[in-house]
């Protein structure tokens, strides 16, 4: 998730200062590198580099640039490590076009090959650079910048918010949008475009939120928009609205806390992750590494990422028959002794910087183990130290409690396991396609879960706020989800919560259950599992527990529970996607009902870089 901004005036001014200020407003969207491009008297100037914005300002002096039209970018790397060369804006061979982009171009590889064949020279490893060379190519054919821009956009598969300027047409910013956010700020004698409203509010409160497939260009006095899908012009003035938010409110998308914003961003984060998986070159390598792993796979992580590891282990043995040993990263000493050359370690860490996981990676590497990292931060320590790296595309997560990173991790892992099943012949080619097309429903599945749980989560939070202890129970693939639910309410609402496989109740924990003791059941849509959970619900009810269940649509368990949230379950591999959002909302609303700040839970840090 990157941040982009563009400003268009009719005469030169201190544009660098304005772009820099806008980028600071967007910094929360990504921050490994940044850059600007401005046009001044028909000349294009670019300043960009790796690092934090403030350091780059010292080094490159963004604020000293003057011009009438300019674009800027803060990068959260997806394709290509953070570096000076990979920072945006990207320029074409002749140096007259400059582009910034937020999103993923899925077919960049084939486009790049074709453009190289036509003599284009690429400077970066990014997917974005193909856009600017495509425009250059079509401009040669048409001699019309806007036509060339549209032709280039039509070639792209994937997600994008794109801004382009050119020294050929000094006072225009060309734009296109699909599946990545882009808004226009409508000014008086100028126009602004940005990924998000906070960067617009320093200039104007009149905003148009652009829709998918809209392309066009902004001049200082007008905005031309057309719908690429229908080829018809759009009357953008009909979409102008007045934004009342403060900058602080706007950077949280109007939500009171980052955590709830990030919970609601999950469908989009899953969409981006799917786009990334479909264009991933590393995924086939990861599949091969696992299949070739002497049948011995270890999988590790800490906290929420450990729950993803547990999900991987259960899903792997269920779908592929390949046993994976899950362990909590800080316990690496206990497991590394038995590791040997030819084994694989799957190391999961959203930040890529958790010290316990780094230590595990190093220890296993010493023993000749191949390491496969799963992270949300490109080129962070764990992917860097691993042999293969797979990335989720959740965008930066600011709330301390992990939410969207967990859903995207489990989706990526499910996709990986399906790939292994196909490679080993457990799934035929067509069965594999069937499974992945069900996995592609993840964004909608998460959306449905959020829609259906919001009201009950708010309601239940009123009584949960005064509870001191809870259980979260499940079986099979639901167990890691139950653990995640318990961790969420523990860390942000400070309620003691224990999660365990439901069959364990009668071996001890049920001794604590008395009237109104809250027990949350996570019931995956696997009929044998549902049947087993039925008995566990009954034994809890018999002791007066207050039961809540997250169940699949039409589940026979519905009638047995005090409160039910029915979710959509196209495939059991999607259980974390369907069943976790209600638990996140329950924790979130219980925390806020108690007057706690869920973004900053006590004693916790977002990234634990010490052992
Ligand atoms: C829980 C949470 C932590 C992290 C853990 C690992 O909400 O955020 O438990 O999951 O510290 O962090 P990463 O995934 O960055 O290695």
């Amino acid at each position: 998730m990157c941040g982009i901004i563009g400003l268009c005036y009719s005469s030169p001014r201190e544009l660098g200062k304005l772009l820099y200020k806008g980028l600071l407003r967007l910094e929360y969207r990504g921050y490994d590198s940044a850059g600007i491009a401005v046009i001044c008297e028909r000349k294009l100037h670019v300043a960009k580099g790796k690092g934090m914005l403030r350091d780059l300002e010292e080094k490159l002096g963004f604020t000293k640039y003057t011009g009438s039209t300019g674009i800027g970018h803060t990068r959260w790397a997806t394709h290509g490590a953070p570096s000076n060369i990979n920072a945006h804006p990207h320029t074409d061979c002749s140096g007259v076009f400059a582009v910034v982009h937020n999103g993923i171009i899925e077919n960049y590889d084939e486009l790049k090959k074709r453009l190289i064949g036509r003599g284009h020279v690429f400077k970066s490893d990014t997917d974005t650079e193909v856009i600017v060379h495509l425009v250059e190519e079509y401009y040669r054919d048409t001699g019309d910048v806007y036509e060339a821009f549209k032709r280039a956009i039509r070639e792209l598969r994937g997600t994008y918010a794109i801004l382009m300027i050119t020294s050929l047409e000094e006072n225009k910013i060309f734009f296109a949008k699909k599946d990545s956010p882009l808004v226009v700020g409508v000014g008086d004698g100028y126009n602004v475009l940005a990924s998000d409203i906070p960067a617009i509010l320093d200039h104007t409160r009149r905003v148009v939120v652009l829709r998918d497939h809209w392309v066009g260009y902004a001049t200082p006095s007008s905005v031309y928009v057309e719908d690429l899908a229908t080829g018809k012009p759009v009357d953008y003035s009909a979409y102008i609205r007045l934004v009342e938010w403060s900058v602080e409110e706007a950077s949280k998308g109007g939500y009171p806390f980052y955590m709830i914003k990030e919970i609601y961003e999950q469908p989009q984060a899953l969409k981006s992750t799917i786009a990334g998986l479909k264009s991933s070159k590393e995924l086939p390598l990861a599949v091969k590494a696992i299949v070739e792993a002497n049948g011995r796979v270890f999988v590790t992580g800490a906290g929420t990422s450990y729950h993803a590891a547990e999900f991987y282990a259960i899903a792997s043995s269920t779908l592929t028959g390949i046993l994976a040993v899950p362990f909590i990263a800080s316990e690496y000493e206990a497991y590394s002794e038995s590791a040997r050359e030819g084994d694989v370690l799957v190391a999961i860490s959203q930040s890529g910087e958790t010290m316990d996981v780094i230590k595990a990676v190093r220890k296993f590497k010493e023993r000749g183990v191949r390491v496969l990292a799963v992270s949300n931060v490109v080129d962070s320590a764990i992917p860097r130290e691993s042999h293969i790296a797979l990335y989720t595309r959740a965008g930066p997560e600011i709330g301390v409690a992990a939410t969207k990173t967990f859903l995207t991790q489990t989706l990526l892992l499910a996709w990986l396991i399906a790939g292994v099943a196909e490679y080993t012949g457990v799934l035929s080619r067509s069965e594999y396609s069937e499974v992945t097309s069900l996995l592609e429903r993840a964004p909608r599945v998460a959306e449905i879960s959020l829609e259906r749980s919001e009201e009950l989560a708010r309601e239940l939070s009123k009584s949960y706020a005064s509870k001191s202890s809870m259980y979260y129970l499940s079986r099979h693939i639901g167990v890691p989800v139950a653990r995640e639910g318990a961790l969420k309410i523990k860390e942000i609402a400070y309620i003691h919560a224990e999660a365990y496989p439901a069959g364990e109740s009668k071996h001890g924990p049920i001794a604590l259950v008395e009237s109104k003791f809250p027990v949350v059941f996570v019931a995956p849509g696997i009929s044998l599992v549902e049947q087993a959970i039925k008995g566990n619900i009954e034994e809890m009810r018999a002791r007066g527990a207050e039961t809540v269940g997250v169940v699949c649509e039409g589940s026979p368990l519905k009638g047995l529970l005090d409160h039910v949230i029915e979710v959509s379950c196209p495939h059991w591999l999607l259980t974390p996607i369907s069943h976790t959002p209600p638990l996140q909302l329950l924790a979130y609303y219980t925390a806020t009902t108690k007057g706690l700040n869920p973004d900053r839970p006590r004693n916790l840090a977002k990234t634990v870089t010490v052992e």
Side-chain angles (χ1 to χ4, degrees), residues 301-306 348-354 357 382 397 399-403 405 409 484 487-488 491 604-608:
T304 293
S305 292
Y306 170 71
I348 306 168
S349 169
Q350 76 81 19
S351 63
E353 301 287 349
T354 299
V357 186
I382 293 162
E397 194 172 62
V400 163
T403 51
T405 52
Q409 282 168 346
E484 179 57 9
L487 178 61
K488 287 291 89 105
E491 65 184 338
L604 294 175
K606 182 70 186 159
T607 307
V608 185

Side-chain angles (χ1 to χ4, degrees), residues 448-460 464 519-523 530 533 537 541 546-569 578-579 582-583 586:
I448 292 172
S449 297
L450 290 168
E451 283 162 16
R452 295 192 187 161
S453 49
E454 168 80 31
E455 206 182 309
L456 184 63
R458 278 178 191 269
E459 191 53 39
L460 286 174
Y464 280 22
V519 182
V520 179
F521 283 94
V522 173
E530 282 186 326
I533 288 181
I537 298 174
R541 281 177 66 96
E546 186 178 339
T547 57
V548 180
V550 184
V551 306
C552 293
E553 273 161 354
S555 164
L557 302 176
K558 258 174 23 182
L560 289 176
L561 294 149
D562 296 314
H563 310 279
V564 182
I565 297 160
E566 272 185 272
V567 294
S568 163
C569 306
S578 52
H579 288 57
L583 309 184
L586 194 58

Side-chain angles (χ1 to χ4, degrees), residues 70-91:
I71 51 178
H73 187 272
T74 70
R75 181 162 188 250
W76 172 265
T78 54
H79 284 92
S83 70
N84 292 343
I85 291 294
N86 288 338
H88 297 213
H90 291 287
T91 50

Side-chain angles (χ1 to χ4, degrees), residues 350-364:
Q350 76 81 19
S351 63
E353 301 287 349
T354 299
M355 189 45 78
D356 291 335
V357 186
I358 294 177
K359 290 273 175 162
V361 165
R362 289 182 185 158
K363 189 74 184 200
F364 274 68

